[in-house]
Amino acid sequence: MISAETLIYLFMALAGIGSTVSVYYAVIEKDLIKAVIYSAIQSTFYALLYFLLMAPDIVLVYLPVAVGLIPGVLILLISKTERVEQDEESV
Amino acid sequence: MINPEFLNTYLLSIVIFSLLLNTALALYGIFYKPHYIKKVICLTILSDTANTFAIYIGYRRWLNDGTINPRPPVLPTTEVSPGVLSQFLARAVDPLPQALVLTAVVIGLAVTVFLIFLGHQLYLHYGTLDMRRIRKLKG
């Protein structure tokens, strides 16, 4: 039987792996809207990590700022400029 | 049967390794990705990872029962009793790193909004946000 402490460490490890996967997709993605959404997913995993690391008042500030406000203004900028990152040969 | 102490340390080292990997990926994005918005996204990821490191090392007391790798404590219960509360107060993240990270998150938001308005002005001036094209448009 798995203990509760091990279960918490398991959730922390899963949040770390999930954040790394979403950072990788955010870096290699050509469509900038999708990159912003992957970055928001990474922020959600970090918020879970803060909560499990016994710092719950960081979550209260970090969650609306990093999941709501920063992707919001980035999507506003993308809607006013260009959406797709160009390849090397088309420049 | 796996030793639970070894399993906990192993799972925690996965977290540290993924944070280091995130730092490397964000630095790669800042330096080698040519688009301005991608650079801003990678900068926010880098600052978030630095904040997570600050929270990670900010514990008041680490569990170190003679082993090589000390681990931060977790509360494996949801029951609120005076014993659990005093354990939380003795071992949770120190208020000073928490206040630093709180300030860093808000200042990071302000810097990101400034960079976004800078990018809008860049687009109005040059007509593109690709750094390779802007480099060619001299004068």
Side-chain angles (χ1 to χ4, degrees):
Chain A
M1 183 61 193
I2 191 166
S3 69
E5 196 181 1
T6 308
L7 200 64
I8 290 175
Y9 284 122
L10 187 68
F11 274 125
M12 279 162 65
L14 286 181
I17 292 171
S19 72
T20 302
V21 170
S22 40
V23 165
Y24 175 72
Y25 279 113
V27 169
I28 67 162
E29 182 64 56
K30 293 286 181 193
D31 192 349
L32 290 168
I33 297 273
K34 285 185 187 170
V36 170
I37 290 171
Y38 281 127
S39 164
I41 293 172
Q42 168 261 331
S43 303
T44 314
F45 280 123
Y46 272 11
L48 180 64
L49 204 58
Y50 289 147
F51 185 73
L52 293 176
L53 283 169
M54 289 163 93
D57 49 343
I58 302 290
V59 181
L60 292 177
V61 175
Y62 183 76
L63 209 58
V65 166
V67 183
L69 278 174
I70 290 180
V73 285
L74 276 172
I75 286 174
L76 199 67
L77 176 65
I78 292 169
S79 72
K80 284 187 182 302
T81 58
E82 53 195 12
R83 180 170 173 167
V84 181
E85 189 180 3
Q86 301 292 325
D87 286 332
E88 183 74 44
E89 57 266 12
S90 64
V91 174
Chain B
M1 185 63 191
I2 306 173
N3 185 10
E5 289 293 318
F6 172 75
L7 188 62
N8 292 347
T9 312
Y10 182 74
L11 289 173
L12 203 67
S13 60
I14 290 178
V15 179
I16 298 198
F17 185 71
S18 63
L19 286 180
L20 288 174
L21 211 59
N22 284 352
T23 312
L25 280 170
L27 283 175
Y28 168 76
I30 290 174
F31 287 128
Y32 288 105
K33 284 290 168 181
H35 203 272
Y36 182 82
I37 299 175
K38 191 57 86 60
K39 284 179 196 287
V40 174
I41 291 172
C42 289
L43 189 70
T44 59
I45 291 173
L46 184 67
S47 74
D48 288 351
T49 311
N51 290 339
T52 312
F53 267 121
I55 285 295
Y56 191 86
I57 63 173
Y59 282 99
R60 276 195 200 143
R61 191 162 72 81
W62 289 57
L63 291 180
N64 193 359
D65 40 1
T67 53
I68 298 173
N69 298 319
R71 287 182 286 108
V74 295
L75 272 186
T77 175
T78 55
E79 162 204 14
V80 178
S81 66
V84 171
L85 274 182
S86 63
Q87 198 187 10
F88 179 80
L89 286 178
R91 300 200 325 204
V93 176
D94 197 66
L96 183 64
Q98 293 204 41
L100 284 177
V101 169
L102 219 65
T103 316
V105 166
V106 179
I107 291 176
L109 172 69
V111 169
T112 309
V113 171
F114 170 70
L115 286 176
I116 282 168
F117 278 101
L118 208 63
H120 190 222
Q121 293 299 317
L122 208 63
Y123 186 76
L124 291 181
H125 196 261
Y126 289 113
T128 179
L129 279 181
D130 201 312
M131 288 298 154
R132 293 167 301 195
R133 285 187 185 166
I134 291 176
R135 206 176 295 135
K136 288 175 187 169
L137 295 171
K138 284 184 181 170

